[in-house]
Amino acid sequence: MVKKIKSCVFISGNGSNLNSLIKNSRDCSFPIKIELIITNNKKAKGLNFARKYNIPFKVFPYDNKKNFERNSLNEIKKKKIRFLCLAGFMKILSK
């Protein structure tokens, strides 16, 4: 059995990539466990997958990049996330 890495997935739309990641993460040999989903779009259809699979999610507006990144980073640190995945998230993030 693979030791799973705590992961966060950033989405902004339909969530087709997220859905694939969730399904694969259920396999014991897949190396990640999705512990958090972050989006800038409160109407993102991908949030339905978060609800369906009972994965915590946060919605932060992107009208201010600095605030979005600060809020996201705070949540990532709280959950001790080690891996970030941008699954159709179409914004550029800082280092």
Side-chain angles (χ1 to χ4, degrees):
M1 183 180 212
V2 172
K3 183 172 177 177
K4 301 256 185 187
I5 300 167
K6 289 184 176 188
S7 303
C8 172
V9 181
F10 284 73
I11 66 166
S12 58
N14 290 329
S16 55
N17 292 327
L18 172 63
N19 190 33
S20 293
L21 286 167
I22 292 170
K23 286 181 178 180
N24 283 301
S25 71
R26 303 282 179 188
D27 183 322
C28 64
S29 66
F30 199 71
I32 70 167
K33 179 176 184 200
I34 301 170
E35 302 254 336
L36 178 65
I37 296 166
I38 294 178
T39 184
N40 63 312
N41 178 3
K42 65 183 177 186
K43 294 181 181 179
K45 292 179 183 175
L47 292 177
N48 293 329
F49 295 116
R51 291 180 189 99
K52 178 179 177 180
Y53 293 102
N54 202 27
I55 300 170
F57 65 88
K58 294 290 182 179
V59 179
F60 300 119
Y62 197 85
D63 52 350
N64 182 308
K65 180 179 178 177
K66 196 175 218 173
N67 287 341
F68 175 85
E69 290 181 350
R70 184 178 334 118
N71 291 331
S72 297
L73 193 55
N74 286 338
E75 290 299 318
I76 288 164
K77 285 180 179 180
K78 265 193 239 176
K79 294 198 171 285
K80 298 180 180 169
I81 300 293
R82 304 269 313 179
F83 185 78
L84 302 179
C85 193
L86 305 182
F89 187 75
M90 302 305 289
K91 303 287 186 188
I92 296 174
L93 299 175
S94 302
K95 286 183 180 181

